[in-house]
Amino acid sequence: MQWETVIGLEIHTQLATQSKIFSGSSTRFGAAPNTQACAVDLGLPGVLPVLNREAVRLAVRFGKAIDAELAERSVFARKNYFYPDLPKGYQISQYEFPIVGEGRVEIVLDDGTVHEIGVTRAHLEEDAGKSLHEDYQGSTGIDLNRAGTPLLEIVSEPDMRSAAQAVAYAKKVHQIVRWIGISDGNMQEGSFRVDANVSVRPAGQTTFGTRAEIKNVNSFRFLERAIQFEVERQIDLITAGGKVVQETRLYDPDRDETRTMRVKEEANDYRYFPDPDLLPVQLDAAFIAAAIADLPELPDAMRERFQADYGLADYDANLLTAGRELAAFFEAVAQGSGAPKLAANWIGGELTAALNKSGLEIGASPVTADQLAGLIRRIQDGTISGKIAKQVFEALWNDGGDADQVIAEQGLKQITDSGAIESLIDSIIAANQDQVAQYRAGKEKVFGFFVGQVMKQSQGKANPQQVNDLLKQKLLA
Ligand code: ADP
Ligand code: MG
């Protein structure tokens, strides 16, 4: 039987505010346990929450970035449940009236196909504290520093049909939140957490199968593996006559499997009700206008512009707009060199490889956009070959300077004087009569030997095209 996978993601992204969503406590990561939680975060009697404007502003920016409807009026609700890291006994969230309504996110897969994924809603809520199981033998520590940290929960439609699509979508949302500066997206620190709802159904069936929700996926690679594992588990289960139960499962990266965490609560178990301590949020036009006024050009728009202005392929344009700094770097090199495609190749190839190898971000690249543009200009005008350019790049990477300087100092200028190349070829032909005879007798592979000799003796500087042309002439003469 053919099966179809159905996936919807719930993404919690921590908003980059200085203080918490309903109190003045700091949101800084990594402080000593329980040093950044105040009476409001703990829900002690007699205190009242006050909404952080900045969290609202950031949510509005996100809504705009995914082309969503913004709710003029949204309402905070209490989601009631008991857990040791939630001393209030409820989490302040939004339920019936979220601040961001329906929107959409475009994804580009590796094969270049573009898909639109629907966003159902995005709502503001507070985070809970953290239970620390590792450091305390036989007991659990509770750190409430994270309690009250602002989150935006972004809920997708069940629009994804493969693990690859789900990963592409999660990466795209991650790209957007960082791009518009509403979250640092740090996955190790838990600033970007993905829960995957997964179900399967026989191909052609219109109703959805029962879903399981997988939590604890803290990298894109784990997201892909967790979904793949879960899809297989469900298919095996159904094929063997069993039934998928709606539950929350935990992904265990060490064993590469998902396992039951708890049977899923229904919404009514949470007894949601509007929080009587908080007024509804009324967005006015001036607030929205100010929040979105300085939104940068968004990745999709930039991707399309790179294709139109610089003639980049889908794949390159997508890659080069993965982050704002990278995109700006590319644009500076493309304009500075006048050779956008070469710029794309160099950034996607040599530069990315060198950055990866030394674990550097583009912002810390030892070779600046100016330097790379200067190098590409010299490839473009024939001063150096692509091969020598790699040598120049290495020098720029290690010692700085500019391409012209390196070329001059190391004598790397390409030999394009056909007289000089000719006399070099003549001497090589004279010294290798056996090979000349072989070539003339039809052994074409020997041609490569001659090219190699010329390149070797010119230290790689002879213009390759001229070498080819002249060698052919002379050997066939
Ligand atoms: P809950 O309130 O239990 O979290 P929601 O209806 O809000 O449930 O859905 C949560 C997520 O699950 C959404 O991202 C949605 O797209 C996804 N989802 C819902 N039904 C399915 C299904 N049958 N298969 C896969 N994902 C689903
Ligand atoms: Mg949910």
Side-chain angles (χ1 to χ4, degrees):
M1 176 159 10
Q2 282 283 98
W3 294 89
E4 184 175 54
T5 304
V6 174
I7 305 158
L9 300 186
E10 292 165 282
I11 297 177
H12 290 86
T13 190
Q14 184 179 322
L15 296 172
T17 57
Q18 299 287 311
S19 57
K20 294 189 178 171
I21 184 167
F22 300 118
S23 82
S25 309
S26 168
T27 54
R28 193 168 60 85
F29 181 85
N34 300 309
T35 56
Q36 287 178 181
C38 69
V40 174
D41 308 325
L42 271 55
L44 298 185
V47 296
L48 286 172
V50 177
L51 178 59
N52 183 340
R53 256 178 106 81
E54 180 65 1
V56 178
R57 193 182 75 85
L58 299 181
V60 166
R61 284 168 80 79
F62 181 76
K64 175 70 182 173
I66 62 159
D67 190 23
E69 299 159 30
L70 292 169
E72 269 172 48
R73 182 175 183 276
S74 63
V75 176
F76 284 102
R78 290 187 183 178
K79 180 180 182 179
N80 300 279
Y81 66 96
F82 171 80
Y83 207 73
D85 63 20
L86 187 75
K88 291 209 296 275
Y90 61 88
Q91 176 192 24
I92 306 178
S93 181
Q94 294 186 314
Y95 184 55
E96 279 175 288
F97 305 103
I99 184 160
V100 175
E102 277 177 34
R104 69 214 96 255
V105 167
E106 226 173 69
I107 57 171
V108 181
L109 299 183
D110 284 346
D111 64 8
T113 56
V114 178
H115 303 254
E116 186 177 295
I117 308 299
V119 170
T120 317
R121 56 186 278 162
H123 60 256
L124 284 164
E125 62 184 24
E126 61 176 344
D127 208 344
K130 235 190 262 180
S131 300
L132 308 168
H133 303 291
E134 269 112 45
D135 305 339
Y136 308 90
Q137 280 139 358
S139 50
T140 295
I142 302 288
D143 177 7
L144 293 170
N145 283 352
R146 206 178 63 181
T149 297
L151 299 177
L152 189 66
E153 178 173 344
I154 304 155
V155 182
S156 87
E157 290 290 303
D159 281 351
M160 289 152 273
R161 294 292 175 268
S162 66
Q165 285 188 12
V167 171
Y169 167 79
K171 282 190 176 167
K172 187 59 182 279
V173 173
H174 188 248
Q175 175 195 31
I176 293 171
V177 299
R178 289 166 47 111
W179 192 282
I180 62 175
I182 67 163
S183 174
D184 65 21
N186 188 324
M187 295 178 92
Q188 283 80 48
E189 294 179 2
S191 302
F192 192 87
R193 312 196 287 267
V194 182
D195 299 339
N197 294 270
V198 179
S199 66
V200 298
R201 62 180 172 187
Q205 179 181 309
T206 49
T207 52
F208 289 142
T210 304
R211 72 182 195 262
E213 179 175 358
I214 311 165
K215 296 219 178 253
N216 195 36
V217 217
N218 58 8
S219 79
F220 295 119
R221 193 163 56 92
F222 289 164
L223 176 62
E224 181 153 31
R225 300 225 312 240
I227 293 172
Q228 282 164 348
F229 174 87
E230 183 58 20
V231 167
E232 268 178 47
R233 185 190 71 86
Q234 291 185 11
I235 293 174
D236 289 349
L237 185 66
I238 299 169
T239 310
K243 266 201 166 117
V244 175
V245 287
Q246 188 172 332
E247 62 182 355
T248 303
R249 298 178 69 85
L250 197 77
Y251 177 64
D252 178 346
D254 295 331
R255 295 210 230 156
D256 191 22
E257 63 175 28
T258 65
R259 54 173 181 270
T260 303
M261 194 163 118
R262 56 183 138 91
V263 173
K264 175 90 181 161
E265 298 84 355
E266 295 293 331
N268 55 16
D269 293 338
Y270 290 122
R271 291 148 34 241
Y272 278 100
F273 65 90
D275 193 310
D277 289 344
L278 286 156
L279 291 167
V281 181
Q282 305 270 9
L283 292 180
D284 63 53
F287 181 83
I288 296 175
I292 64 177
D294 64 341
L295 271 181
E297 182 183 21
L298 293 168
D300 289 346
M302 202 178 243
R303 191 183 78 229
E304 280 159 26
R305 186 166 63 76
F306 279 8
Q307 291 180 282
D309 289 2
Y310 303 121
L312 296 188
D314 254 332
Y315 181 82
D316 282 339
N318 196 44
L319 206 78
L320 291 166
T321 50
R324 255 170 99 183
E325 281 191 313
L326 179 64
F329 193 98
F330 162 73
E331 201 149 32
V333 179
Q335 287 173 1
S337 66
K341 284 188 186 163
L342 264 181
N345 291 344
W346 271 83
I347 293 170
E350 211 71 11
L351 180 68
T352 300
L355 289 171
N356 287 346
K357 202 170 144 203
S358 27
L360 293 173
E361 301 283 330
I362 185 81
S365 171
V367 175
T368 63
D370 265 0
Q371 286 172 307
L372 188 55
L375 172 60
I376 290 174
R377 279 201 301 274
R378 294 299 160 257
I379 306 171
Q380 187 73 356
D381 68 11
T383 307
I384 52 173
S385 66
K387 201 164 169 200
I388 292 289
K390 294 190 179 174
Q391 200 177 320
V392 178
F393 178 83
E394 231 182 271
L396 294 177
W397 181 276
N398 292 324
D399 311 317
D402 68 46
D404 288 338
Q405 205 181 326
V406 175
I407 294 167
E409 276 170 18
Q410 302 191 16
L412 297 175
K413 198 165 173 328
Q414 180 160 247
I415 303 168
T416 50
D417 171 358
S418 55
I421 298 177
E422 251 178 282
S423 62
L424 191 57
I425 290 178
D426 288 340
S427 75
I428 288 168
I429 286 181
N432 295 283
Q433 281 301 312
D434 285 356
Q435 281 84 350
V436 175
Q438 284 171 17
Y439 181 74
R440 287 184 177 152
K443 205 170 164 200
E444 289 193 8
K445 274 204 313 207
V446 183
F447 192 73
F449 162 78
F450 286 104
V451 175
Q453 286 298 311
V454 180
M455 287 322 239
K456 189 171 163 200
Q457 293 194 23
S458 69
Q459 287 152 339
K461 288 183 289 188
N463 176 294
Q465 190 57 51
Q466 281 174 300
V467 171
N468 260 282
D469 294 347
L470 286 169
L471 261 177
K472 276 206 184 111
Q473 273 176 32
K474 300 231 169 221
L475 283 170
L476 295 176

